[in-house]
Amino acid sequence: MSPPTSTAAPSSAPTTPQPTSTRLCAHCKLSRPKIQRAKTRDRLCVPCFLHIFELEIHQTITSTNLFQRGDHIAIGASGGKDSTVLAAVLKTLNDRYDYGIKFTLLSIDEGIKGYRDDSLETVKRNAVQYEMPLVIVSYRELYGWTMDEVVQQIGKKGNCTVCGVFRRQALDRGAERLGVSHVVTGHNADDMAETVLMNLLRGDLPRLHRCTAILTASSSSPVRRSKPLKYAYEKEIVLYAHHRKLDYFSTECLYSPEAFRGSARALIKSLERVRPSAILDVVRSGESFVAMVPPEISGVAPSQPNTTATPVVLPPPPPPQQADDDPNAHCGGESGGEMAAFEKQLRENEEATHRETEVKLPQIRKKQKMKQTLMNCRKCGYMSSQELCKACVILEDLNKHRAKLGVQVELDEVEEEAKEGVRRKMEALELRKSVETDTGTDAKE
Amino acid sequence: MATPLVASSTSTIPSSTATTGQIKVEFSGGLELLFANQRSVTLPLPLPTTTSTSTLATPPTVGDLVTYLVNTAMVDPRKELFVVDGAVRPGILVLINEADWELEGEEEYQLCDGDTVLFVSTLHGG
């Protein structure tokens, strides 16, 4: 992931002292530098910075075979800096390198007045600027609830969980509506580092070792998700947006985000101040865990038809074929088999989650868990590992109490009861969460 | 990083040209919300400091500007969203005339007439 040309100035000019190398762009050696890169400490002028930033994303995309010519891909667009930069860069790269991809912007309207309604205006402008169609899917149309109404009922505590469950399904529904099977999101290196730290601090090994995957597919979702900006620093994303004068929206969600993520975030930013490479180092560490996680945890998918490896418990050093798959995959793997490797990895991940659940919840019917089968949610038909999908579980409870709250008189007790009910359901969902394969990064938006 | 060529130890001569004039201060990425939704303000040099931290002898630095902003200009009481432990909060980028302040000496940079200092938050939603 180091930039293509980071070599020091050639020794052919011994007469010129340091000033030339420090005062001029490290890449073109012509212009005055304006940016100091976090990854490399290189000092670059604006045009070189923009170009190298784009080139690195291009390299991430090509080295992982993320896209195939003719694909129709949805860009999860919130109007914020990350997804705006993602759309702008993908538009640029698609034109420059002729990817032959059709991109559509897909936005979720959670129904938060003063926040999402404004940011959606930005997305609408982006759609015109980048000549991409835009599809907006709202919580109201899908679930009959806006987040404003949800918060009014259950309070701010835990609303992020509801929103996360809803958003995940809403993105899938939107993708389905568009007929696409791949959604790219704007998660950046800082987000990845946060997630690695959070999983580490929670001791969540299965998620720790899958949270850095550039592409995540899941049996509980027909749609693949990927993160082309996973190696891009938030700082550089903001600088890219600034220097290209991109139009983005920057107001925090009105409902306070998870405190835990906030702390991880502050820690990452403080580390960056002291040691700028720390962010990428944490991401790389997360990737390295993939290689270190013993098979008992990482799992060797027994359900997979083609694997020769049966779920034999192997000693810590993983079997050779597994070692080939991922250890040094970083961002630079070149082989075309990389996708297959990812998919294999993902299947293995799922396997690991089941086992992890067993450990946490010895009480819960083991056999049923082991033979997790996918079905369609009894209510909404969405893919689910349970009779009711997570969103419907939440909705059932929300709706149960809506009637009582129809009249907006002060009904503290009922309200409390409603909050408690939803909270209990959410706790139950937390437990179920590890059974299903969400990456745990969704909450970031 | 590289300190200006002016020998700061012997700056007994208050170069009046360097310390008078005006600068532009801009806020974006959500920071404008902390400054009464102003995206841009113009400030005179020397800074209208109420505290006597900076003397007239040396031109005000970006560090002085930050002190001024947090003590005087910032209306929002949540000072910790802008300054943490006396320094600009990690995650807020500072650009001096469009260049990373890391290239300009960070807090030590001495402000000149016509400078633009931009504070951008990277901390707001994605």
Side-chain angles (χ1 to χ4, degrees):
Chain A
M1 222 42 220
S2 56
T5 44
S6 58
T7 43
S11 53
S12 56
T15 40
T16 41
Q18 303 98 322
T20 19
S21 55
T22 52
R23 294 247 180 93
L24 293 178
C25 168
H27 188 244
C28 67
K29 312 212 167 35
L30 294 172
S31 316
R32 191 158 172 255
K34 294 278 193 186
I35 285 113
Q36 172 144 26
R37 299 206 68 197
K39 295 178 190 183
T40 57
R41 313 303 287 159
D42 277 349
R43 296 163 169 221
L44 300 175
C45 65
V46 171
C48 286
F49 164 72
L50 295 178
H51 190 260
I52 288 175
F53 181 87
E54 290 158 359
L55 193 63
E56 288 185 356
I57 292 160
H58 172 63
Q59 285 166 346
T60 304
I61 290 168
T62 52
S63 69
T64 55
N65 289 315
L66 206 53
F67 304 150
Q68 307 298 323
R69 173 168 288 277
D71 279 353
H72 180 191
I73 294 171
I75 300 175
S78 66
K81 61 187 182 339
D82 299 306
S83 56
T84 300
V85 166
L86 181 63
V89 170
L90 289 179
K91 159 87 177 151
T92 304
L93 295 177
N94 200 22
D95 292 349
R96 183 182 300 157
Y97 298 103
D98 188 27
Y99 288 167
I101 308 283
K102 179 177 187 233
F103 289 110
T104 296
L105 298 174
L106 173 57
S107 290
I108 307 299
D109 181 0
E110 296 93 343
I112 304 174
K113 279 221 161 49
Y115 170 63
R116 190 52 91 210
D117 45 357
D118 292 342
S119 63
L120 284 174
E121 290 307 311
T122 312
V123 181
K124 286 176 191 164
R125 288 196 300 274
N126 289 343
V128 176
Q129 289 152 3
Y130 308 135
E131 299 166 297
M132 292 176 185
L134 164 67
V135 168
I136 301 174
V137 180
S138 75
Y139 283 7
R140 180 186 287 279
E141 65 174 299
L142 282 183
Y143 309 114
W145 287 79
T146 64
M147 276 312 290
D148 284 338
E149 292 163 349
V150 170
V151 170
Q152 204 179 352
Q153 175 149 325
I154 69 165
K156 286 190 181 180
K157 197 183 166 197
N159 80 84
C160 284
T161 309
V162 174
C163 195
V165 169
F166 282 3
R167 182 183 300 107
R168 186 175 172 74
Q169 189 173 128
L171 270 177
D172 283 355
R173 298 260 184 209
E176 203 178 320
R177 199 173 289 178
L178 283 167
V180 308
S181 57
H182 189 166
V183 177
V184 292
T185 56
H187 292 94
N188 58 43
D190 296 51
D191 298 325
M192 303 291 267
E194 273 165 33
T195 308
V196 169
L197 265 189
M198 287 165 70
N199 287 332
L200 189 67
L201 295 172
R202 284 194 288 233
D204 192 338
L205 209 51
R207 261 193 223 150
L208 175 62
H209 98 282
R210 86 181 107 89
C211 69
T212 50
I214 188 165
L215 181 86
T216 49
S218 147
S219 57
S220 62
S221 161
V223 179
R224 293 177 296 156
R225 310 285 183 90
S226 70
K227 310 179 181 87
L229 301 183
K230 69 170 280 201
Y231 296 111
Y233 271 62
E234 196 155 60
K235 170 185 170 181
E236 296 195 354
I237 287 173
V238 170
L239 288 177
Y240 184 88
H242 173 74
H243 289 298
R244 267 195 70 179
K245 300 187 170 43
L246 300 182
D247 181 9
Y248 71 93
F249 180 81
S250 52
T251 299
E252 203 57 84
C253 175
L254 304 172
Y255 305 125
S256 51
E258 314 166 56
F260 190 41
R261 181 169 286 276
S263 309
R265 178 158 251 256
L267 178 56
I268 286 287
K269 297 289 183 210
S270 302
L271 287 172
E272 181 188 23
R273 191 53 72 84
V274 186
R275 179 181 148 93
S277 69
I279 290 176
L280 212 49
D281 294 340
V282 172
V283 175
R284 294 249 156 84
S285 299
E287 291 173 333
S288 302
F289 277 120
V290 178
M292 288 163 56
V293 171
E296 305 89 278
I297 308 254
S298 75
V300 182
S303 55
Q304 195 187 336
N306 293 335
T307 4
T308 44
T310 36
V312 178
V313 179
L314 293 156
Q321 80 225 62
Q322 207 186 349
D324 287 347
D325 281 347
D326 33 59
N328 303 313
H330 289 194
C331 54
E334 303 89 27
S335 73
E338 188 110 354
M339 283 304 251
F342 275 129
E343 312 233 293
K344 175 162 178 273
Q345 188 59 54
L346 287 161
R347 280 191 292 270
E348 291 170 359
N349 295 351
E350 266 160 44
E351 198 52 35
T353 357
H354 306 174
R355 294 167 194 213
E356 180 69 8
T357 311
E358 274 186 296
V359 176
K360 279 190 195 157
L361 306 166
Q363 298 271 21
I364 287 179
R365 310 138 303 206
K366 291 182 186 179
K367 276 169 196 163
Q368 200 180 324
K369 290 287 167 190
M370 284 301 285
K371 289 183 195 160
Q372 181 192 352
T373 43
L374 277 176
M375 49 184 115
N376 291 328
C377 170
R378 171 163 59 80
K379 267 200 160 160
C380 71
Y382 183 72
M383 281 171 105
S384 170
S385 57
Q386 310 280 319
E387 215 179 307
L388 272 186
C389 73
K390 286 195 235 178
C392 283
V393 172
I394 292 175
L395 281 173
E396 205 171 55
D397 220 71
L398 286 171
N399 290 334
K400 205 190 297 171
H401 294 283
R402 175 176 259 174
K404 298 185 196 169
L405 293 171
V407 194
Q408 281 297 340
V409 196
E410 274 195 47
L411 289 170
D412 288 344
E413 282 158 44
V414 180
E415 210 164 290
E416 267 313 306
E417 189 191 320
K419 283 182 191 173
E420 263 315 299
V422 174
R423 240 174 249 156
R424 253 180 276 123
K425 288 280 164 65
M426 285 191 316
E427 277 163 24
L429 283 173
E430 279 297 316
L431 298 177
R432 266 175 63 182
K433 221 178 192 177
S434 48
V435 177
E436 301 187 12
T437 48
D438 47 347
T439 61
T441 54
D442 282 5
K444 166 236 159 188
E445 272 172 279
Chain B
M1 182 155 183
T3 41
L5 294 172
V6 187
S8 53
S9 53
T10 55
S11 62
T12 42
I13 23 149
S15 53
S16 54
T17 47
T19 51
T20 58
Q22 59 183 29
I23 57 165
K24 203 162 139 196
V25 181
E26 297 176 331
F27 306 103
S28 79
L31 274 181
E32 60 273 25
L33 300 175
L34 298 181
F35 292 90
N37 265 318
Q38 291 173 287
R39 299 188 72 94
S40 174
V41 290
T42 302
L43 293 176
L45 285 181
L47 294 169
T49 35
T50 48
T51 54
S52 55
T53 41
S54 74
T55 57
L56 281 174
T58 52
T61 63
V62 169
D64 296 329
L65 172 65
V66 171
T67 308
Y68 166 77
L69 289 174
V70 80
N71 289 343
T72 315
M74 193 172 163
V75 283
D76 197 294
R78 296 169 297 171
K79 309 280 186 189
E80 74 281 0
L81 296 183
F82 185 56
V83 166
V84 174
D85 296 332
V88 175
R89 181 180 178 203
I92 294 175
L93 307 180
V94 187
L95 302 192
I96 300 168
N97 300 324
E98 291 289 292
D100 258 3
W101 75 333
E102 291 157 60
L103 301 174
E104 305 290 336
E106 305 196 355
E107 284 100 340
E108 310 295 309
Y109 176 85
Q110 296 182 336
L111 294 163
C112 318
D113 182 30
D115 278 350
T116 298
V117 182
L118 166 66
F119 296 90
V120 203
S121 175
T122 67
L123 301 166
H124 286 278

